[in-house]
């Protein structure tokens, strides 16, 4: 029997010391009761020592996990004071008070963080108990207004576990039917398999009353019954009465009390200890299958890791060399997988590594290119000034090509900003990827730091060279303007297009649409932010973007189309989100000041994330909807930008404008293709080659191998804890295997009628406090549901010829069936007395030929 509890105690210590108490719910006994119910006194009686804090009000303010271990010597240990043995139990009390105040404060605060205490003594039986704060109703001191709910939640946190026995402590001088401890136990243990009742303060009951029927489990029964104890009074505690003397006094009380002496062997603290020890052992045995499976699953989870620890030799140089090579190789593989993509360890929360770089290349970089799109009015004014400055004092008859070249070169130079920004973004993502890969090197802190420093330094070197190459590509484009390019519109076509500048845009753009205009660019959910039933309302729709239109549907089945918005003359701009909104908003508007949708000048679309909004804006760019730069200008600035041009100059400006637009589309197409390739070749591929071929050499040259491979203190502690836990789990499984095959389980007691716990709030049944002094007019009757006839109570004297009346005034005992008990029937006492009264012969005894029937006492007998 003791082996099971010793096993649990060892596991409790191992898991708590390793910070793994949550992995296995170890069997234990939770002590539950109201304030001043005597919980702490019961625990002190178990230990036979004064070691718990005392006082009025709430004293236990943190759970105390008390492990009792049978040993030859007597001392105590705290988990938070490792290695220190307490032989003076006054110091144990002081340490409990100090540790409680450290977490909860000095003014009656509470905390659910437990204090772990183990007591070794030859006077205890092996038990694991949890002393919980007493149930209180009214907050005091620093306690919050919901202190009752907090304590209730804390208690439920312990007793709701299937591996926890519940010791429900209730004073005998209160109404048992209203016991908070029994009500809480009933909520989590409706079958009563884990609940044991304890009745305290039996010596403080009113004169003439007792708890016999409760202790005999006849009144307000529990499946596992009740055990009565007598603790020291406050006067005894103040007078430093020895606990051993108090336990002798408790034994004497039960032996000498006429109501309890027939059950004295089943009452008192020693018997309670034995019962709890037996019940805890049985409970552990009953939970062995589930407990064993948990231990086995945890053992399997750490077995692979522990195998590497078993043959570990910290100072072996060959081990360090091998570990260094393995670490560098693993780092290289991880970096390669994060860049190239892999099915291993897929991140489902955010884009990273190669996926994020791909997004930079194909969404962010094109978006940055179009974001610096030239302002239409500003561009026309620059073309006009260039034409006039080239003609000088003369009036030009022809459109000068030098104006075209000057404007194009200026626009090409502007591409340097987005190109360099894309290099910065890729460089930052590579460094972030390196940091994520070096997390696996945390076992060796110096190796981790050096690897990150060397690789990050190489990435920054490649960044500078990549930027030089990118700038060189831009300068190459500026150095020669190739007007013979096959995709260039040419002067004749530009002039012809300029002659149609006043025609309707819808008419020119809507005719002869190529098939590519019908291709779906993007689909997804967006919220229309400024359209709803009420102003400021919003609703989510399924949007489909093509090169021609933006349509939205009721849902993603695309059966019920709500609207189709043409993209002609639309632009996009950011909208500042409101204070209360977490969504990111952008708006579509018409450049010709027309309504976009019904009576709305603009259409606000909202996304949940910034990345999602950027992706939609990049998709709109592909469809030809560009970001707006002049939307914030007021009317006065717009009027100031307008300047008069003669018709000939206006035609020349339009021609140059068409030429610039055609050539810049060629340049943008080329840059979008070359920049990602340049970054890939000069940065990403080069870094991968560096890690594979040169990183190990740089590590060897940076520091001594012993310094690099110096193990962290956390890793050494983790290895030791892992080995200890592995051994503890193996030992536990071995003990469980031996005990489970050599012990026999004891069946649980049969169920009892405990409906009184559910009905106690509406109509509480009789209890010691409500049925103590019966009157002659209304004699008490015993409820018969759920119980058979009560056994006869032993006679106070050996020569008595009739069955005695029980000490507590209450329902009459059944008439005896044997021939010896037919002489004289029992008598109702006239008033409560300490000794049984004489029995008058008012009613003839039942006939031996008739069965005995138990009936309530007739009131006529009292006349």
């Amino acid at each position: 029997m003791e082996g099971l509890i010793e096993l649990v105690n060892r596991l409790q210590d191992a898991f708590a010391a390793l910070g793994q108490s949550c992995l296995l719910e170890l069997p234990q006994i939770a002590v539950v009761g109201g304030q001043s119910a005597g919980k702490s006194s019961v625990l002190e009686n178990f230990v036979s020592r004064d070691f718990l804090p005392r006082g009025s009000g709430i004293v236990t303010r943190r759970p105390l996990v008390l492990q009792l271990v049978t040993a030859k010597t007597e001392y105590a240990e705290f988990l938070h004071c490792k290695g220190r043995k307490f032989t003076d139990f006054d110091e144990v009390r002081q340490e409990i008070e100090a540790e409680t105040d450290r977490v909860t404060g000095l003014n009656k605060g509470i905390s659910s963080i437990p204090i772990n205490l183990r007591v070794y003594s030859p006077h205890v039986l092996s038990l694991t108990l949890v002393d919980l704060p007493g149930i209180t109703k009214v907050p005091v001191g620093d306690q919050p207004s919901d202190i009752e709910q907090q304590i209730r939640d804390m208690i439920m946190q312990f007793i709701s576990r299937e591996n926890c026995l519940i010791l429900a402590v209730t004073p005998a001088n209160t109404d048992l039917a209203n016991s908070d401890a029994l009500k809480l136990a009933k909520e989590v243990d409706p079958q009563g398999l884990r609940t044991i009742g304890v009745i305290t303060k039996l010596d403080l009951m009113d004169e003439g009353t007792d708890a016999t029927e409760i202790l005999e489990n006849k009144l307000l029964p529990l499946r596992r019954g009740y055990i009565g104890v007598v603790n020291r009074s406050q006067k005894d505690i103040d007078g430093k009465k020895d606990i051993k003397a108090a336990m002798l006094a408790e034994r004497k009380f039960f032996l000498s009390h006429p109501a309890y002496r027939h059950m004295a062997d089943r009452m008192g603290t020693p018997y309670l200890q034995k019962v709890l020890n037996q019940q805890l052992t049985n409970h552990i045995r009953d939970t062995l299958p589930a407990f064993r499976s948990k231990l086995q699953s945890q053992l399997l989870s750490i077995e692979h890791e522990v195998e590497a620890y078993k043959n570990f030799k910290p100072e072996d140089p060959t081990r360090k060399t091998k570990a260094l090579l393995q670490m560098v190789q693993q780092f290289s593989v991880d970096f390669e997988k994060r860049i190239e993509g892999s099915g291993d360890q897929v991140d489902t929360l955010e884009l990273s590594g190669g996926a994020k770089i791909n997004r930079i290349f194909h969404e962010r970089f094109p978006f940055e290119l179009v974001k610096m799109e030239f302002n239409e009015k500003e561009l026309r004014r620059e073309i006009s000034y260039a034409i006039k400055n080239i003609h000088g004092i003369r009036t030009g008859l022809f459109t000068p090509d030098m104006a075209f070249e000057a404007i194009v070169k200026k626009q090409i130079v502007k591409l340097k900003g987005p190109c360099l920004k894309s290099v910065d973004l890729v460089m930052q993502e590579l460094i972030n990827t390196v940091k994520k890969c070096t997390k696996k090197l945390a076992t060796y802190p110096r190796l981790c730091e050096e690897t990150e420093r060397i690789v990050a330094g190489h990435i920054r070197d490649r960044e500078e060279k990549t930027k030089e190459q990118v700038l060189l590509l831009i300068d190459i484009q500026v150095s020669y303007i190739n007007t013979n390019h096959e995709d260039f519109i040419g002067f004749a076509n530009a002039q012809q297009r300029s002659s149609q500048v006043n025609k309707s845009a819808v008419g020119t753009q809507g005719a002869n649409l190529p098939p590519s205009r019908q291709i779906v660019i993007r689909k997804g959910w967006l919220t229309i932010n400024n359209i709803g039933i009420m102003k400021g309302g919003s609703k989510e729709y399924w949007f489909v973007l093509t090169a021609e239109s933006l349509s939205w549907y009721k849902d993603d089945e695309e059966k019920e189309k709500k609207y189709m918005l043409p993209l002609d003359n639309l632009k996009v701009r950011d909208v500042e989100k409101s204070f209360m909104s977490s969504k990111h908003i952008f708006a579509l508007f018409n450049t010709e000041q027309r309504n976009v949708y019904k009576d709305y000048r603009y259409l606000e679309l909202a996304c949940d994330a910034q990345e999602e909004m950027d992706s939609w804006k990049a998709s709109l760019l592909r469809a030809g909807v560009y970001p707006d730069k002049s939307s914030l200008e007021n009317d006065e600035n717009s009027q100031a930008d307008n300047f008069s041009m003669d018709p000939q100059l206006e035609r020349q400006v339009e021609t140059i404008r068409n030429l610039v637009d055609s050539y810049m589309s060629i340049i943008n197409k080329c840059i979008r293709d070359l920049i990602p390739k340049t970054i890939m070749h000069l940065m990403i591929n080069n870094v991968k080659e560096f890690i594979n071929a040169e990183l190990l050499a740089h590590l060897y040259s940076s520091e001594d191998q012993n310094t690099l491979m110096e193990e962290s203190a956390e890793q050494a502690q983790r290895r030791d804890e892992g080995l200890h836990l592995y051994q503890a789990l193996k030992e536990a499984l071995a003990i469980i295997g031996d005990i489970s095959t050599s012990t026999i389980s004891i069946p649980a007691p049969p169920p009892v009628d405990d409906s009184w716990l559910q009905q106690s709030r509406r109509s509480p049944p009789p209890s010691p406090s409500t049925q103590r002094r019966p009157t002659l007019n209304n004699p008490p009757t015993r409820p018969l549901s759920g119980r058979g006839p009560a056994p006869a109570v032993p006679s106070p004297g050996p020569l008595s010829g009739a069955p005695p009346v029980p000490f507590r005034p209450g329902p009459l005992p059944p008439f005896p069936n044997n021939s010896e008990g037919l002489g004289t029937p029992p008598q109702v006492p006239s008033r409560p007395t300490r000794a049984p009264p004489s029995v008058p012969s008012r009613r003839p005894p039942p006939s031996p030929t008739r069965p005995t029937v138990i009936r309530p006492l007739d009131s006529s007998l009292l006349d």
Side-chain angles (χ1 to χ4, degrees), residues 182-287:
L182 291 175
K183 289 178 184 177
L184 290 176
K186 179 66 175 176
E187 290 184 25
V188 298
D189 182 31
Q191 301 298 323
L193 293 173
R194 300 190 284 121
T195 304
I196 303 171
V198 176
I199 306 298
T200 61
K201 303 185 180 181
L202 291 168
D203 55 331
L204 300 181
M205 296 183 69
D206 292 344
E207 182 74 17
T209 61
D210 61 70
T212 305
E213 293 197 349
I214 292 176
L215 295 176
E216 289 180 345
N217 210 29
K218 298 176 182 177
L219 186 65
L220 311 179
L222 286 178
R223 190 164 185 174
R224 294 194 181 274
Y226 299 89
I227 299 174
V229 297
V230 176
N231 298 324
R232 294 179 299 167
S233 65
Q234 190 60 45
K235 180 180 178 181
D236 295 337
I237 296 172
D238 296 338
K240 302 295 183 181
K241 183 176 181 179
D242 184 59
I243 292 182
K244 294 181 180 179
M247 294 179 69
L248 291 175
E250 178 190 48
R251 178 67 175 165
K252 182 179 179 181
F253 171 82
F254 284 114
L255 288 173
S256 61
H257 198 289
Y260 304 132
R261 59 188 178 189
H262 68 284
M263 62 179 80
D265 291 339
R266 291 178 281 113
M267 296 291 118
T269 301
Y271 180 74
L272 177 60
Q273 277 187 282
K274 293 178 182 178
V275 169
L276 293 181
N277 181 269
Q278 179 64 52
Q279 296 292 352
L280 183 59
T281 303
N282 292 342
H283 190 62
I284 294 172
R285 185 188 297 112
D286 293 339
T287 58

Side-chain angles (χ1 to χ4, degrees), residues 481-482 703 813:
I481 306 302
N482 182 17
E703 286 192 26

Side-chain angles (χ1 to χ4, degrees), residues 7 117 124 256 536 551 661 668 708-709:
L7 158 70
L117 172 64
V124 302
S256 61
S551 305
D661 189 32
N668 283 335
L708 282 175
M709 302 307 295

Side-chain angles (χ1 to χ4, degrees), residues 82 189 279 351 468 672 697 772 815:
K82 293 182 180 179
D189 182 31
Q279 296 292 352
L351 293 178
E468 292 177 2
R672 287 185 187 185
R772 288 177 179 163
F815 294 118

Side-chain angles (χ1 to χ4, degrees), residues 111 238-239 282 287 320-321 333 347 355 433 455 461 468 509 545 604 659 701 722 738 783 859:
S111 171
D238 296 338
N282 292 342
T287 58
K320 292 183 178 182
T321 302
V333 171
D347 189 353
T433 303
V455 178
D461 290 342
E468 292 177 2
Q509 294 181 5
L545 174 66
E604 286 188 2
L659 291 172
S701 62
D738 294 340
S859 60

